[in-house]
Amino acid sequence: NNMEIKNKIRQLSRDIFDDVVEYRRHIHQNPELAFEEHETAAFISSKLDEFNIPYKNGIAKTGIIALLEGKNPTKRVVGLRADMDALPIHEANNVPYRSKNDGKMHACGHDVHSSSLLGVAKVLGSLRDEFEGTVKFFFQPSEEKFPGGASVMIKEGALEDPKPDVVLAQHVFTDLDAGMTGFKSGVYMASADEIYLT
């Protein structure tokens, strides 16, 4: 029953909230630049081992693809993606989990993206007998640097075997409630794209 599994996911998400905060703080403290995310990838791999979710690493240098099969795994394949790289910025925040790597900082939320995706893996890993289909997790290197880790992962076959029916990613904007979309005219963030809605 869909409602039942949604409620379980909500409850498990609340239960592991503190764990996800710890993942985020660890990744935030140890930022690595594009295609150099070796420690980050090792940390993510160690968590996937803990959750008993099989994965391949070393894709596009430091990328990881994990595969969680539910019942009837070929029914539908959903891809979930997070990026891992930090920026060449000196962190001036005075927090206990500030960057230990001088001149490198998670200033664009990729620490949160990776941690959240680990949280999703942990929750869904504990429910693998209760959903149909497969969840394919992409931990992508180099979102910030041309040519971009996504294109390299795709060239190396990330979207094959199995091919996802849909791929979803999130970004972090804490002033907006989950499930809401915000937009405004004019300049808003550091980078912009045009989108046409009919």
Side-chain angles (χ1 to χ4, degrees):
N1 163 325
N2 271 353
M3 207 56 226
E4 202 177 297
I5 197 163
K6 279 182 185 173
N7 288 334
K8 279 185 183 176
I9 288 169
R10 283 194 185 99
Q11 185 55 54
L12 287 164
S13 299
R14 285 191 284 268
D15 293 346
I16 67 156
F17 180 78
D18 290 342
D19 295 341
V20 176
V21 169
E22 285 307 308
Y23 305 158
R24 186 257 165 171
R25 289 183 174 184
H26 174 85
I27 294 170
H28 188 89
Q29 268 187 305
N30 299 281
E32 297 171 296
L33 300 180
F35 293 122
E36 296 172 9
E37 309 93 341
H38 301 287
E39 294 301 317
T40 306
F43 175 75
I44 289 166
S45 297
S46 74
K47 293 297 163 193
L48 293 169
D49 286 334
E50 205 179 287
F51 312 152
N52 195 24
I53 297 175
Y55 59 89
K56 286 181 186 156
N57 51 20
I59 295 151
K61 290 188 183 170
T62 49
I64 298 166
I65 297 176
L67 218 52
L68 176 63
E69 293 187 338
K71 297 178 295 188
N72 188 9
T74 56
K75 184 172 183 181
R76 190 166 194 221
V77 180
V78 174
L80 300 175
R81 169 263 183 202
D83 35 19
M84 302 185 294
D85 56 326
L87 287 161
I89 293 173
H90 173 74
E91 178 159 19
N93 294 328
N94 191 12
V95 288
Y97 51 88
R98 65 179 287 168
S99 171
K100 292 177 183 173
N101 299 340
D102 202 37
K104 297 173 189 173
M105 180 191 176
H106 273 291
C108 204
H110 301 180
D111 50 343
V112 184
H113 301 169
S114 290
S115 309
S116 298
L117 194 54
L118 279 174
V120 172
K122 185 170 191 174
V123 167
L124 294 183
S126 68
L127 296 172
R128 67 186 87 201
D129 298 330
E130 298 187 40
F131 67 84
E132 288 193 295
T134 293
V135 183
K136 194 169 187 177
F137 299 93
F138 302 96
F139 291 92
Q140 178 208 308
S142 184
E143 195 269 338
E144 299 290 352
K145 189 175 178 183
F146 187 81
S151 62
V152 183
M153 285 183 88
I154 290 166
K155 275 193 192 104
E156 293 185 17
L159 296 181
E160 305 306 321
D161 193 31
K163 182 183 167 79
D165 297 296
V166 62
V167 179
L168 306 170
Q170 62 164 7
H171 211 293
V172 180
F173 189 47
T174 52
D175 296 341
L176 274 181
D177 291 333
M180 300 294 287
T181 299
F183 56 92
K184 70 185 281 291
S185 61
V187 177
Y188 196 21
M189 298 215 173
S191 176
D193 289 311
E194 291 184 354
I195 181 168
Y196 297 89
L197 301 175
T198 303

